[in-house]
Coordinates of all heavy atoms in Angstrom, one line a residue:
S18 N 60.6 51.9 -13.4 CA 59.8 52.3 -14.6 C 59.4 51.2 -15.4 O 60.2 50.2 -15.6 CB 60.6 53.3 -15.5 OG 60.1 53.5 -16.6
T19 N 58.2 51.2 -16.0 CA 57.7 50.1 -16.9 C 57.6 50.4 -18.2 O 57.0 49.8 -19.0 CB 56.3 49.7 -16.4 OG1 55.5 50.8 -16.5 CG2 56.3 49.1 -14.9
S20 N 58.3 51.5 -18.6 CA 58.2 52.1 -20.0 C 58.8 51.1 -21.0 O 58.3 50.9 -22.1 CB 58.9 53.4 -20.2 OG 60.2 53.3 -19.7
A21 N 59.9 50.3 -20.6 CA 60.5 49.5 -21.5 C 59.6 48.2 -21.8 O 59.5 47.8 -22.9 CB 61.8 48.9 -20.9
M22 N 58.9 47.8 -20.8 CA 57.9 46.6 -21.1 C 56.7 47.1 -21.9 O 56.3 46.4 -22.7 CB 57.4 46.1 -19.7 CG 56.7 44.8 -19.8 SD 56.0 44.3 -18.3 CE 54.3 45.0 -18.4
A23 N 56.3 48.4 -21.6 CA 55.1 48.8 -22.3 C 55.3 49.1 -23.8 O 54.4 48.9 -24.5 CB 54.7 50.2 -21.7
A24 N 56.6 49.2 -24.1 CA 56.9 49.4 -25.6 C 56.7 48.1 -26.3 O 56.3 48.1 -27.5 CB 58.3 49.9 -25.7
S25 N 57.0 47.0 -25.7 CA 56.9 45.7 -26.4 C 55.5 45.0 -26.1 O 54.9 44.4 -27.1 CB 57.9 44.7 -26.0 OG 57.9 44.5 -24.6
E26 N 54.9 45.2 -25.0 CA 53.6 44.6 -24.7 C 52.6 45.8 -24.4 O 52.7 46.3 -23.2 CB 53.7 43.7 -23.5 CG 54.2 42.3 -23.9 CD 53.2 41.5 -24.7 OE1 52.1 41.3 -24.3 OE2 53.6 41.1 -25.8
P27 N 51.7 46.2 -25.3 CA 50.8 47.3 -25.0 C 49.8 46.8 -23.9 O 49.6 45.6 -23.7 CB 50.1 47.5 -26.3 CG 50.2 46.2 -27.0 CD 51.5 45.5 -26.6
A28 N 49.3 47.8 -23.1 CA 48.3 47.5 -22.1 C 47.1 47.0 -22.8 O 46.6 47.4 -23.8 CB 48.0 48.8 -21.5
A29 N 46.6 45.9 -22.2 CA 45.4 45.3 -22.8 C 44.1 46.1 -22.5 O 43.9 46.6 -21.5 CB 45.2 43.8 -22.2
T30 N 43.3 46.2 -23.6 CA 42.1 47.0 -23.5 C 41.0 46.0 -23.7 O 41.1 45.0 -24.4 CB 42.0 48.1 -24.6 OG1 42.1 47.4 -26.0 CG2 43.0 49.1 -24.5
P31 N 39.8 46.2 -23.0 CA 38.7 45.3 -23.1 C 38.1 45.3 -24.5 O 38.1 46.3 -25.1 CB 37.6 45.9 -22.1 CG 38.5 46.7 -21.2 CD 39.7 47.2 -22.0
Y32 N 37.7 44.1 -25.0 CA 37.2 44.1 -26.3 C 35.9 44.8 -26.4 O 35.0 44.6 -25.5 CB 37.0 42.5 -26.7 CG 36.2 42.4 -28.1 CD1 36.7 42.9 -29.2 CD2 35.1 41.7 -28.0 CE1 36.0 42.7 -30.4 CE2 34.3 41.6 -29.3 CZ 34.9 42.1 -30.5 OH 34.2 42.0 -31.6
D33 N 35.7 45.6 -27.4 CA 34.4 46.3 -27.6 C 33.8 45.9 -29.0 O 34.4 46.2 -30.0 CB 34.6 47.8 -27.7 CG 33.4 48.6 -27.9 OD1 32.4 48.0 -28.1 OD2 33.4 49.9 -28.1
P34 N 32.7 45.1 -29.0 CA 32.1 44.6 -30.2 C 31.8 45.7 -31.2 O 31.7 45.4 -32.4 CB 30.9 43.9 -29.8 CG 31.0 43.6 -28.3 CD 31.9 44.6 -27.8
A35 N 31.6 46.9 -30.8 CA 31.3 48.0 -31.6 C 32.5 48.5 -32.4 O 32.3 49.2 -33.4 CB 30.6 49.1 -30.8
Q36 N 33.6 48.2 -32.0 CA 34.9 48.6 -32.5 C 35.5 47.5 -33.3 O 36.1 46.6 -32.7 CB 35.9 49.2 -31.5 CG 35.5 50.5 -31.0 CD 35.6 51.6 -32.0 OE1 34.6 52.2 -32.3 NE2 36.8 51.9 -32.4
P37 N 35.4 47.4 -34.6 CA 36.0 46.3 -35.3 C 37.5 46.3 -35.2 O 38.1 47.3 -35.2 CB 35.7 46.4 -36.8 CG 34.9 47.7 -36.9 CD 34.7 48.3 -35.5
L38 N 38.2 45.1 -35.0 CA 39.6 45.0 -34.8 C 40.3 45.0 -36.1 O 39.9 44.3 -37.1 CB 39.9 43.8 -34.0 CG 39.4 43.8 -32.6 CD1 39.7 42.4 -31.9 CD2 39.8 45.0 -31.8
D39 N 41.4 45.7 -36.3 CA 42.1 45.8 -37.5 C 43.2 44.7 -37.3 O 44.3 45.1 -36.8 CB 42.6 47.1 -37.9 CG 43.6 47.2 -39.0 OD1 43.6 46.2 -39.9 OD2 44.3 48.1 -39.1
I40 N 43.1 43.4 -37.6 CA 44.0 42.4 -37.3 C 44.8 41.9 -38.6 O 44.2 41.4 -39.5 CB 43.5 41.3 -36.6 CG1 42.7 41.6 -35.3 CG2 44.5 40.1 -36.4 CD1 42.0 40.5 -34.7
A41 N 46.1 42.3 -38.7 CA 46.9 41.8 -39.8 C 47.6 40.5 -39.5 O 47.6 39.6 -40.3 CB 48.0 42.9 -40.1
K42 N 47.9 40.4 -38.2 CA 48.6 39.1 -37.8 C 48.4 38.9 -36.2 O 48.6 39.9 -35.5 CB 50.1 39.2 -38.0 CG 50.9 38.0 -37.5 CD 52.4 38.1 -37.9 CE 53.0 36.8 -37.6 NZ 54.1 36.9 -36.6
V43 N 47.9 37.8 -35.9 CA 47.8 37.4 -34.5 C 49.1 37.0 -34.0 O 49.8 36.1 -34.5 CB 46.8 36.3 -34.2 CG1 46.8 35.9 -32.8 CG2 45.3 36.8 -34.8
V44 N 49.6 37.6 -32.8 CA 50.9 37.3 -32.2 C 50.7 36.2 -31.2 O 51.4 35.2 -31.2 CB 51.5 38.6 -31.6 CG1 52.8 38.1 -30.9 CG2 51.7 39.6 -32.5
S45 N 49.7 36.2 -30.3 CA 49.5 35.3 -29.3 C 48.0 35.4 -28.7 O 47.4 36.4 -28.8 CB 50.5 35.5 -28.2 OG 50.2 36.6 -27.4
I46 N 47.6 34.3 -28.3 CA 46.2 34.2 -27.6 C 46.4 33.3 -26.4 O 47.0 32.3 -26.5 CB 45.2 33.6 -28.6 CG1 45.0 34.4 -29.8 CG2 43.8 33.4 -27.9 CD1 44.0 33.8 -30.8
T47 N 45.7 33.8 -25.3 CA 45.8 33.0 -24.1 C 45.3 31.6 -24.3 O 44.3 31.4 -24.9 CB 45.0 33.7 -23.0 OG1 45.4 35.1 -22.9 CG2 45.0 32.9 -21.7
D48 N 46.0 30.6 -23.7 CA 45.5 29.2 -23.9 C 44.5 28.9 -22.8 O 44.9 29.0 -21.6 CB 46.8 28.3 -23.7 CG 46.4 26.8 -23.9 OD1 45.3 26.5 -24.3 OD2 47.2 25.9 -23.5
T49 N 43.3 28.7 -23.2 CA 42.2 28.4 -22.2 C 41.7 27.0 -22.4 O 40.7 26.6 -21.8 CB 41.1 29.4 -22.4 OG1 40.6 29.2 -23.7 CG2 41.5 30.8 -22.2
A50 N 42.5 26.1 -22.9 CA 42.0 24.7 -23.2 C 41.7 23.9 -21.9 O 40.8 23.1 -22.0 CB 43.1 23.9 -24.0
T51 N 42.4 24.2 -20.8 CA 42.1 23.3 -19.6 C 41.1 23.8 -18.7 O 40.7 23.2 -17.8 CB 43.4 23.1 -18.8 OG1 44.0 24.5 -18.5 CG2 44.5 22.4 -19.6
S52 N 40.5 25.0 -19.0 CA 39.5 25.6 -18.2 C 38.1 25.2 -18.7 O 37.8 24.9 -19.9 CB 39.5 27.1 -18.3 OG 38.5 27.6 -17.5
C53 N 37.2 24.9 -17.7 CA 35.8 24.5 -18.1 C 34.8 25.6 -17.8 O 33.6 25.4 -17.9 CB 35.4 23.3 -17.2 SG 36.4 21.8 -17.5
D54 N 35.3 26.8 -17.5 CA 34.4 27.9 -17.2 C 34.7 29.0 -18.2 O 35.7 29.0 -19.0 CB 34.7 28.4 -15.8 CG 34.4 27.4 -14.7 OD1 33.2 26.7 -14.8 OD2 35.2 27.1 -13.9
V55 N 34.0 30.1 -18.0 CA 34.3 31.3 -18.8 C 35.5 32.0 -18.1 O 35.5 32.2 -16.9 CB 33.0 32.3 -18.8 CG1 33.4 33.7 -19.4 CG2 31.9 31.7 -19.5
V56 N 36.5 32.3 -18.9 CA 37.8 32.8 -18.4 C 38.2 34.0 -19.2 O 37.8 34.0 -20.4 CB 38.9 31.8 -18.3 CG1 38.6 30.7 -17.2 CG2 39.0 31.1 -19.7
P57 N 38.9 34.9 -18.6 CA 39.5 36.0 -19.4 C 40.7 35.5 -20.3 O 41.4 34.6 -19.9 CB 40.0 37.0 -18.3 CG 40.2 36.1 -17.1 CD 39.3 35.0 -17.2
A58 N 40.6 36.0 -21.5 CA 41.7 35.7 -22.5 C 42.3 37.0 -23.0 O 41.5 38.0 -23.0 CB 41.2 34.8 -23.6
T59 N 43.6 36.9 -23.4 CA 44.1 38.1 -24.1 C 44.7 37.7 -25.4 O 45.4 36.7 -25.6 CB 45.3 38.6 -23.1 OG1 44.8 39.0 -21.8 CG2 45.9 39.9 -23.8
M60 N 44.4 38.5 -26.4 CA 44.9 38.4 -27.7 C 45.8 39.5 -28.0 O 45.5 40.7 -27.8 CB 43.8 38.2 -28.8 CG 44.4 38.2 -30.2 SD 43.1 38.0 -31.4 CE 42.2 39.4 -31.3
V61 N 47.1 39.2 -28.4 CA 48.0 40.3 -28.9 C 48.1 40.1 -30.4 O 48.2 39.0 -31.0 CB 49.5 40.0 -28.3 CG1 50.4 41.1 -28.8 CG2 49.3 40.1 -26.7
Y62 N 47.9 41.3 -31.1 CA 47.9 41.2 -32.6 C 48.6 42.5 -33.1 O 48.8 43.5 -32.3 CB 46.5 41.1 -33.1 CG 45.6 42.3 -32.8 CD1 45.4 43.4 -33.8 CD2 44.9 42.4 -31.6 CE1 44.6 44.4 -33.5 CE2 44.1 43.5 -31.3 CZ 44.0 44.5 -32.3 OH 43.1 45.6 -32.0
I63 N 48.9 42.5 -34.3 CA 49.5 43.5 -35.1 C 48.5 44.0 -36.1 O 47.9 43.2 -36.9 CB 50.8 43.2 -35.8 CG1 51.8 42.7 -34.7 CG2 51.4 44.3 -36.6 CD1 53.1 42.0 -35.2
D64 N 48.3 45.3 -36.2 CA 47.3 45.9 -37.1 C 48.0 46.2 -38.5 O 49.2 45.9 -38.6 CB 46.6 47.1 -36.6 CG 47.4 48.3 -36.4 OD1 48.6 48.3 -37.0 OD2 47.1 49.2 -35.8
H65 N 47.3 46.6 -39.4 CA 47.8 46.8 -40.8 C 48.7 48.0 -40.9 O 49.4 48.2 -41.9 CB 46.7 46.9 -41.9 CG 46.0 45.6 -42.0 ND1 44.9 45.2 -41.3 CD2 46.3 44.7 -43.0 CE1 44.6 44.0 -41.8 NE2 45.4 43.6 -42.7
Q66 N 48.9 48.7 -39.8 CA 49.8 49.9 -39.7 C 51.0 49.4 -39.0 O 52.0 50.2 -38.8 CB 49.2 51.1 -39.0 CG 48.3 52.0 -39.9 CD 47.0 51.3 -40.2 OE1 46.3 50.8 -39.2 NE2 46.6 51.2 -41.4
G67 N 51.1 48.2 -38.6 CA 52.3 47.7 -37.9 C 52.3 47.9 -36.4 O 53.3 47.7 -35.8
Q68 N 51.2 48.5 -35.9 CA 51.1 48.7 -34.4 C 50.7 47.5 -33.7 O 49.7 46.7 -34.2 CB 50.1 49.8 -34.1 CG 50.4 51.1 -34.8 CD 51.6 51.8 -34.2 OE1 51.8 51.8 -33.0 NE2 52.5 52.2 -35.0
T69 N 51.3 47.2 -32.6 CA 50.9 46.1 -31.7 C 49.8 46.4 -30.7 O 49.9 47.5 -30.1 CB 52.0 45.4 -31.0 OG1 53.1 45.2 -31.9 CG2 51.8 44.2 -30.1
H70 N 48.8 45.5 -30.6 CA 47.7 45.8 -29.7 C 47.4 44.6 -28.9 O 47.8 43.5 -29.3 CB 46.4 46.1 -30.5 CG 46.5 47.4 -31.3 ND1 46.2 48.6 -30.9 CD2 46.8 47.4 -32.6 CE1 46.4 49.5 -31.9 NE2 46.8 48.7 -33.0
S71 N 46.8 44.8 -27.7 CA 46.5 43.7 -26.8 C 45.1 43.9 -26.4 O 44.7 45.0 -25.9 CB 47.4 43.7 -25.6 OG 47.1 42.6 -24.9
V72 N 44.2 43.0 -26.5 CA 42.8 43.1 -26.2 C 42.3 41.9 -25.3 O 42.8 40.7 -25.5 CB 41.9 43.2 -27.4 CG1 42.0 41.9 -28.3 CG2 40.5 43.5 -27.1
T73 N 41.5 42.2 -24.3 CA 41.1 41.0 -23.4 C 39.7 40.9 -23.7 O 38.9 41.8 -24.0 CB 41.4 41.5 -21.9 OG1 40.6 42.7 -21.6 CG2 42.9 41.6 -21.6
Y74 N 39.2 39.7 -23.5 CA 37.8 39.3 -23.7 C 37.5 38.0 -22.9 O 38.5 37.3 -22.5 CB 37.5 39.1 -25.2 CG 38.4 38.1 -25.8 CD1 38.0 36.7 -26.0 CD2 39.7 38.5 -26.2 CE1 38.9 35.8 -26.6 CE2 40.6 37.6 -26.8 CZ 40.2 36.3 -27.0 OH 41.0 35.3 -27.6
S75 N 36.3 37.7 -22.7 CA 35.9 36.5 -22.0 C 35.6 35.4 -23.0 O 35.1 35.6 -24.0 CB 34.6 36.7 -21.2 OG 34.8 37.6 -20.2
V76 N 36.0 34.2 -22.7 CA 35.9 33.1 -23.6 C 35.6 31.8 -22.8 O 36.0 31.6 -21.6 CB 37.2 32.8 -24.4 CG1 38.4 32.4 -23.6 CG2 37.0 31.8 -25.5
M77 N 34.8 30.9 -23.4 CA 34.5 29.7 -22.6 C 35.7 28.7 -22.9 O 36.2 28.5 -24.0 CB 33.2 29.0 -23.3 CG 32.7 27.9 -22.6 SD 32.0 28.4 -20.9 CE 31.8 26.8 -20.1
G78 N 36.3 28.2 -21.8 CA 37.3 27.2 -21.9 C 36.9 25.9 -22.7 O 35.7 25.6 -22.7
N79 N 37.9 25.2 -23.3 CA 37.5 24.0 -24.0 C 37.3 22.8 -23.2 O 36.8 21.8 -23.6 CB 38.7 23.7 -25.0 CG 38.8 24.8 -26.1 OD1 37.8 25.5 -26.4 ND2 40.0 24.9 -26.6
C80 N 37.7 22.9 -21.9 CA 37.4 21.8 -21.0 C 38.1 20.5 -21.3 O 37.6 19.4 -21.1 CB 35.9 21.7 -20.7 SG 35.5 21.0 -19.1
T81 N 39.3 20.7 -21.9 CA 40.1 19.4 -22.2 C 41.1 19.2 -21.2 O 41.6 20.1 -20.5 CB 40.7 19.6 -23.6 OG1 41.6 20.7 -23.5 CG2 39.8 19.7 -24.7
S82 N 41.4 17.9 -20.9 CA 42.4 17.7 -19.8 C 43.5 16.8 -20.5 O 43.2 16.2 -21.6 CB 41.9 16.9 -18.7 OG 41.5 15.6 -19.2
S83 N 44.7 16.8 -19.9 CA 45.8 16.0 -20.5 C 45.9 14.7 -19.9 O 47.0 14.1 -19.8 CB 47.1 16.8 -20.4 OG 47.3 17.1 -19.0
L84 N 44.9 14.1 -19.4 CA 44.8 12.8 -18.8 C 45.0 11.7 -19.8 O 44.2 11.7 -20.8 CB 43.5 12.6 -17.9 CG 43.5 13.5 -16.7 CD1 42.2 13.2 -16.0 CD2 44.6 13.3 -15.8

């Protein structure tokens, strides 16, 4: 059963620009710094009602390297 995991990490939903996000606090965002392409990212945030949400979206990587 995955119910224990689902309680702490909600299923990610694709970002819909028509639906404004109610973000009170950002919990985490996927680190895309090393990618040079458009990559999927996930943001976990808490809304003003205290509910945790996870949303996925495409983002252009920063194309930085640690060389």
Side-chain angles (χ1 to χ4, degrees):
S18 171
T19 58
S20 59
M22 191 186 93
S25 59
E26 280 291 304
T30 56
Y32 172 63
D33 178 2
Q36 289 291 111
L38 300 177
D39 175 20
I40 301 173
K42 178 179 186 239
V43 173
V44 177
S45 67
I46 297 178
T47 305
D48 180 12
T49 59
T51 57
S52 177
C53 295
D54 299 311
V55 173
V56 291
T59 301
M60 176 175 64
V61 178
Y62 67 94
I63 299 171
D64 68 16
H65 288 88
Q66 281 71 51
Q68 299 293 314
T69 303
H70 300 274
S71 183
V72 64
T73 57
Y74 55 97
S75 294
V76 64
M77 190 70 193
N79 295 333
C80 206
T81 56
S82 67
S83 55
L84 294 178

